[in-house]
Amino acid sequence: MTTPLSVIADLVPHGSRVLDLGCGDGRMLAHLRDTRGCTGLGVEIDPEKLIAAAGKGVDVLQYDLEQGLSMFGDRSFDVVLQIDSLPNIRHTENALRETARVGRLGILSFANFAHWSIRLQILTGRLPVTPELPYEWYNTPNLRVATYADFERLAAHCGLRVVDAFGVRNGRRISFAPGLLASEAVFCVQGV
Amino acid sequence: MSASPSALGDVTPQRMAFEQPLPLQSGAQLPPYELMFETYGTLNAERSNAVLVCHALNASHHAAGTHAGDPKSVGWWDNLIGPGKPLDTRRFFVLCVNNPGSCFGSTGPMSLDPATGQPWGSRFPVVTVEDWVDAQARLLDRLGIARLAAVIGGSLGGMQALSWTLRHPERVAHCAAIATAPSLSAQNIAFNEVARRAIITDPDFHGGDFYAHGVVPKQGLAVARMIGHITYLSDDAMGAKFGRALRNGVLGYGFGVDFEIESYLRYQGDKFSGYFDANAYLLITRALDYFDPARASGGDLAQGLAAARARFLLVSFTTDWRFSPQRSREIVQALVTNRRAVTYAEVDAPQGHDAFLMDHPHYHGVVRAWFDRIAQELEAQENAGPPQVFLPPSGGGLGEAQTWGQS
């Protein structure tokens, strides 16, 4: 199970202007609009997903995130979301810095590669296949994987303040030993 | 039963006369004039489902359907407009107006100047994108359409759609600008100037008053069209279609038609010069050159688009070098800076600028989804009770609409 919409949505203040990077079919933006009165914009490179988003009345720009976020002004969004999109981006560090520049708050989630089940699978000598990382090593779209602890270090390296961080297990927020027990990690960061 | 190849079947152009002169950006005015237009679908009781289609350089009011008795007369955007099409005429009332200065029945340089009784020719006033938008707005007034559900156009039509959101922001709910640009680049203007020089230097041009001489500057117009046509196609598309194929299989060692591409361009040029007016070509390319909503703000496009209130759809095509994706991204960025709602699709299509006239699944998929959403919102408004009433800014109403087709 990947992180439910509501777990992320709960972190987004009502009425926020939201930029969703790698927004897919726009379901998160539609959810935020319908339940929290948010306005927003998605960025997505896949044309089929763009069409699906347009059908939901969600505005999406067809851009390659690798081109950066230079078209967006500093602090031009209340919240910038990167839900499972960070591992697909080549220039991770730059993407994270840009997220914190464009948004007053950045919310990122990704599969926690230090989850105990992954650790166990690696002990068998094979790379893991899990509900959050459902790919074989040879066909995954992810360029990289990260752990809860790794992200904490990267955020610090980028000079970002972590205002909230927790793990997700079985669709629920957990705070105890997230590095080991969480299948997904969620971080809320701010530029300093 | 009609043998029309269009899902819309046969359509009938209409004509509307305007007594009130049209003030122009140049400071001049267009004396009483007429506009040709076509409509598809039915205007709903609330008059809220109208979609205006703006045509590009060489197109007309005949955007969809066929004209009776001519199965070849399929409208230029028939693959987009019609029952079940992305712009669905079962839900929307679609209309397209031939702009003044063009040559398909609306008042233009071929029309008679009431002051002289002679064709306007060289004396026809220079018209701009803004003038066209104002002319279209007056026509909507007369039809009793105070507010458009959407305005859509490609290329020069996209500029008109964009201009609508600036000149009449309260009258446009949605704007789809396809394969367009916020202004022409120097290279674009350069192509236009070559085309104009080809026409103007044709000995049969007679300073624009060739009608009295019983001739047409066909050579110049054909060359103008050949230049334009090259810029509408991508290098790849031209290469794929023609390559270096020879017309007769052997080199002629002269300057006749050796290559297939030469034959094609000549054919296109000759065909065009047989139906298009040379003065209209000059006027319309000039309107393209002049359009620049950022001009008044010193090149700041975000400021230039600040008046817009519509929700936008921008579409560009990867191989379009005449109106490249970069130019659409400029518009997108300006709108995002202004916090306007905008969807942007960058369609991977091989045909170059002409792709906006093609049926591409991704392109039409986005347009369809975007209009479906508008239709859903309209239906929700209808079900929610009495709609908000917007009064036309001047005159209008059913009474005057009865006078369509007079003259």
Side-chain angles (χ1 to χ4, degrees):
Chain A
M1 180 186 288
T2 54
T3 306
L5 291 182
S6 59
V7 171
I8 304 287
D10 285 348
L11 304 169
V12 178
H14 282 268
S16 294
R17 180 168 155 79
V18 180
L19 178 65
D20 188 354
L21 303 175
C23 67
D25 64 6
R27 67 180 65 183
M28 175 62 85
L29 284 167
H31 179 76
L32 289 170
R33 174 193 64 202
D34 298 340
T35 64
R36 301 178 84 83
C38 295
T39 58
L41 190 59
V43 176
E44 175 59 53
I45 197 167
D46 183 327
E48 294 300 327
K49 290 174 180 169
L50 183 91
I51 293 168
K56 295 183 177 71
V58 169
D59 280 310
V60 177
L61 310 182
Q62 192 182 4
Y63 279 123
D64 183 352
L65 285 176
E66 299 290 0
Q67 293 167 355
L69 305 179
S70 60
M71 70 168 293
F72 302 110
D74 294 357
R75 303 278 192 275
S76 54
F77 288 84
D78 299 314
V79 177
V80 178
L81 300 175
Q82 279 199 267
I83 310 303
D84 292 323
S85 60
L86 199 62
N88 304 333
I89 298 174
R90 187 172 302 278
H91 302 102
T92 312
E93 195 180 323
N94 186 53
L96 186 57
R97 287 182 198 276
E98 283 286 273
T99 293
R101 176 184 67 80
V102 171
R104 295 174 199 285
L105 179 69
I107 302 175
L108 303 100
S109 78
F110 54 91
N112 173 29
F113 205 71
H115 185 247
W116 62 267
S117 73
I118 289 178
R119 297 187 193 201
L120 278 181
Q121 286 187 53
I122 288 175
L123 284 178
T124 70
R126 302 266 317 275
L127 276 168
V129 178
T130 70
E132 293 77 23
L133 293 165
Y135 306 99
E136 297 287 351
W137 65 275
Y138 50 83
N139 65 7
T140 177
N142 293 322
L143 297 172
R144 56 190 93 248
V145 291
T147 70
Y148 192 97
D150 287 334
F151 188 86
E152 280 184 317
R153 287 172 55 120
L154 177 63
H157 172 70
C158 292
L160 305 183
R161 195 159 62 90
V162 175
V163 293
D164 193 6
F166 56 90
V168 175
R169 187 178 62 169
N170 295 333
R172 292 194 179 176
R173 179 175 175 144
I174 59 165
S175 296
F176 176 70
L180 184 65
L181 300 179
S183 54
E184 290 241 319
V186 178
F187 281 79
C188 298
V189 299
Q190 285 181 328
V192 179
Chain B
M1 279 296 287
S2 164
S4 170
S6 165
L8 205 52
D10 289 336
V11 297
T12 307
Q14 304 175 66
R15 181 187 300 275
M16 192 183 280
F18 295 81
E19 294 305 320
Q20 188 83 17
L22 182 71
L24 303 173
Q25 293 291 299
S26 64
Q29 57 178 12
L30 190 60
Y33 59 99
E34 295 180 346
L35 295 179
M36 293 292 289
F37 68 105
E38 286 183 4
T39 71
Y40 324 107
T42 308
L43 188 62
N44 63 14
E46 295 81 10
R47 297 170 178 269
S48 62
N49 67 333
V51 176
L52 177 69
V53 175
C54 303
H55 72 74
L57 200 170
N58 58 338
S60 72
H61 52 282
H62 183 42
T66 47
H67 290 157
D70 185 2
K72 286 185 178 167
S73 64
V74 179
W76 56 271
W77 228 352
D78 190 74
N79 60 19
L80 192 89
I81 303 163
K85 299 281 175 67
L87 178 43
D88 193 339
T89 50
R90 295 172 305 191
R91 298 160 119 177
F92 293 105
F93 176 66
V94 180
L95 55 142
C96 185
V97 185
N98 186 216
N99 291 320
S102 179
C103 51
F104 295 100
S106 292
T107 297
M110 302 161 76
S111 313
L112 298 183
D113 176 357
T116 64
Q118 298 296 312
W120 276 99
S122 62
R123 291 175 311 284
F124 194 87
V126 168
V127 284
T128 64
V129 166
E130 290 78 9
D131 297 331
W132 289 335
V133 166
D134 291 352
Q136 293 157 7
R138 281 188 173 188
L139 187 136
L140 295 183
D141 292 345
R142 290 270 294 274
L143 297 181
I145 298 165
R147 183 171 159 90
L148 290 166
V151 60
I152 180 171
S155 190
L156 175 57
M159 290 176 169
Q160 292 160 60
L162 196 56
S163 182
W164 256 98
T165 69
L166 305 175
R167 291 189 76 72
H168 306 285
E170 74 292 350
R171 297 186 71 173
V172 193
H174 299 82
C175 168
I178 317 285
T180 193
S183 61
L184 290 196
S185 66
Q187 188 191 48
N188 284 158
I189 296 171
F191 281 122
N192 282 348
E193 174 60 2
V194 173
R196 282 191 295 265
R197 292 310 297 168
I199 291 169
I200 289 169
T201 57
D202 185 316
D204 285 338
F205 183 63
H206 295 287
D209 296 312
F210 49 87
Y211 313 100
H213 295 79
V215 292
V216 171
K218 285 197 74 158
Q219 294 305 324
L221 194 51
V223 170
R225 176 61 174 170
M226 288 164 79
I227 295 160
H229 207 88
I230 294 166
T231 70
Y232 303 148
L233 301 177
S234 69
D235 191 15
D236 283 351
M238 218 183 247
K241 191 168 180 180
F242 305 102
R244 292 182 54 83
L246 295 172
R247 188 80 183 137
N248 299 312
V250 291
L251 298 178
Y253 295 98
F255 302 102
V257 171
D258 273 359
F259 295 93
E260 286 286 2
I261 181 62
E262 295 174 324
S263 169
Y264 173 78
L265 278 182
R266 288 195 190 190
Y267 170 77
Q268 291 294 336
D270 289 345
K271 189 173 80 166
F272 187 72
S273 66
Y275 70 83
F276 208 87
D277 176 63
N279 284 310
Y281 204 88
L282 300 182
L283 286 164
I284 297 171
T285 54
R286 210 40 158 174
L288 270 160
D289 293 352
Y290 281 0
F291 183 68
D292 183 8
R295 187 163 180 268
S297 50
D300 184 335
L301 186 61
Q303 207 179 319
L305 302 185
R309 291 292 172 270
R311 295 178 64 105
F312 285 84
L313 170 66
L314 273 289
V315 181
S316 72
F317 300 91
T318 50
T319 54
D320 182 353
W321 56 280
R322 180 83 189 239
F323 290 110
S324 72
Q326 177 52 37
R327 304 308 313 279
S328 285
R329 284 192 222 121
E330 289 174 29
I331 300 173
V332 170
Q333 180 162 3
L335 292 170
V336 169
T337 300
N338 292 340
R339 303 196 160 204
R340 298 273 74 86
V342 51
T343 284
Y344 171 58
E346 199 165 292
V347 179
D348 191 7
Q351 298 97 344
H353 187 56
D354 267 356
F356 90 88
L357 297 167
M358 312 284 174
D359 181 357
H360 183 288
H362 172 201
Y363 163 35
H364 276 195
V366 170
V367 174
R368 179 186 292 278
W370 193 74
F371 274 111
D372 279 354
R373 187 71 193 185
I374 298 172
Q376 287 165 19
E377 287 168 9
L378 284 174
E379 281 156 25
Q381 281 169 21
E382 285 169 29
N383 296 336
Q388 211 175 339
V389 174
F390 297 88
L391 290 174
S394 64
L398 267 178
E400 281 182 76
Q402 301 298 329
T403 63
W404 302 356
Q406 75 176 13
S407 81

